[in-house]
Amino acid sequence: MSKSQKKSEVDSKIMEIKRQQTLVLIKPDGVQRGLIGDVIGRFEKAGLKLVGMKMISPSKEILEKHYTNDVAYLTALGEKAKAGMEKSGLSDSRTPIQIGQWIRNQLGRYLAISPVVAMVWQGTHAIGNVRQLVGSTNPISADVGSIRGDLTIDTIEMANLEGRSVRNLIHASSEPEEAKREIALWFTKSEIYDYENVMDKVLHDAEWDSPKKK
Ligand code: GDP
């Protein structure tokens, strides 16, 4: 590979990382509790750029596509949930896919009870950075300083005992393919804004402090 090919490969990788996008939903508990401003403020303060936002009462169709019926997805969801249950001393004889299906049904009900705020956030490693700011799935184990650690006290244990979804305020995409799929599900292309702001220079412009500019 020539030097210029290598450089253009590195440049496109850099652009891909800097312009990564992720889908965030403020779930009904966050909307009802008046936490929209706080949640948005945390992402803004971290340096992420808001490129799409709307309030929406999600239809059954959108929720069924968002939390898919895909066997691999349901199995992974069920396995993660089962591991979490075992860690907190709860046993469950159901298979991972049965647990995944059970959680999916609960999520369908929970996200339909009142409007949600859907957003697309962009910036360096947006997916990982947003997940870090959101905190882990079970609020009781979420880091202090994270949205789930600071703003709610529900637990997976209580949710499972009561047979409902854990009210953990936020959904955030967990990997690039998922983010692309979810953004395309919740937003049309014209609802996503490509605009410049001061962060592009201060956080992302490698030339900002270049001696050539002086
Ligand atoms: P997230 O990416 O942190 O939101 O977590 P997952 O993708 O693993 O799960 C999706 C959603 O399913 C979570 O945000 C919870 O609302 C719900 N959920 C996950 N695990 C459990 C569980 O063990 N019990 C219950 N009741 N709900 C769960």
Side-chain angles (χ1 to χ4, degrees):
M1 190 189 290
S2 71
K3 254 188 170 174
S4 70
Q5 277 173 322
K6 178 88 192 139
K7 182 167 178 337
S8 94
E9 219 174 71
V10 171
D11 285 349
S12 74
K13 183 79 200 157
I14 289 171
M15 281 312 283
E16 193 187 312
I17 294 172
K18 281 179 178 176
R19 294 177 57 84
Q20 189 173 76
Q21 295 181 340
T22 188
L23 180 90
V24 173
L25 301 176
I26 305 180
K27 293 175 175 176
D29 51 331
V31 173
Q32 289 291 329
R33 290 182 49 211
L35 297 175
I36 299 169
D38 193 326
V39 167
I40 290 176
R42 285 166 185 246
F43 296 137
E44 281 184 325
K45 273 182 257 171
L48 289 149
K49 189 196 280 186
L50 185 60
V51 296
M53 178 164 85
K54 59 181 159 188
M55 179 171 268
I56 171 169
S57 285
S59 63
K60 195 164 182 272
E61 290 69 34
I62 199 170
L63 291 175
E64 282 179 352
K65 285 186 185 154
H66 180 82
Y67 294 115
T68 80
N69 207 7
D70 175 67
V71 172
Y73 168 75
L74 291 176
T75 306
L77 181 63
E79 273 168 359
K80 192 176 150 194
K82 200 167 172 140
M85 288 174 196
E86 278 160 13
K87 216 170 139 195
S88 52
L90 294 170
S91 65
D92 195 312
S93 59
R94 291 171 298 176
T95 61
I97 193 161
Q98 286 171 327
I99 297 176
Q101 189 64 61
W102 177 70
I103 292 173
R104 179 176 183 252
N105 292 340
Q106 293 169 351
L107 286 165
R109 280 200 308 273
Y110 163 45
L111 267 83
I113 55 173
S114 109
V116 303
V117 172
M119 298 175 286
V120 181
W121 288 92
Q122 179 177 305
T124 299
H125 290 296
I127 297 170
N129 274 313
V130 163
R131 298 273 300 180
Q132 187 70 15
L133 291 163
V134 168
S136 68
T137 309
N138 193 359
I140 200 168
S141 336
D143 288 339
V144 171
S146 69
I147 293 168
R148 287 169 173 166
D150 286 355
L151 302 180
T152 191
I153 55 167
D154 196 19
T155 67
I156 283 187
E157 293 71 22
M158 274 309 291
N160 287 346
L161 286 170
E162 293 181 336
R164 60 168 174 79
S165 240
V166 57
R167 293 173 191 157
N168 58 5
L169 302 170
I170 303 287
H171 164 80
S173 314
S174 59
E175 41 98 15
E177 281 317 304
E178 184 179 286
K180 283 198 186 102
R181 187 183 70 78
E182 292 179 349
I183 291 168
L185 178 64
W186 290 83
F187 287 85
T188 61
K189 280 211 165 84
S190 65
E191 290 172 328
I192 311 274
Y193 293 84
D194 190 5
Y195 63 98
E196 283 190 5
N197 71 4
V198 69
M199 254 120 50
D200 293 322
K201 186 160 285 298
V202 177
L203 271 178
H204 304 304
D205 183 358
E207 299 292 314
W208 190 40
D209 56 353
S210 161
K212 282 180 266 167
K213 293 210 154 170
K214 301 230 163 106

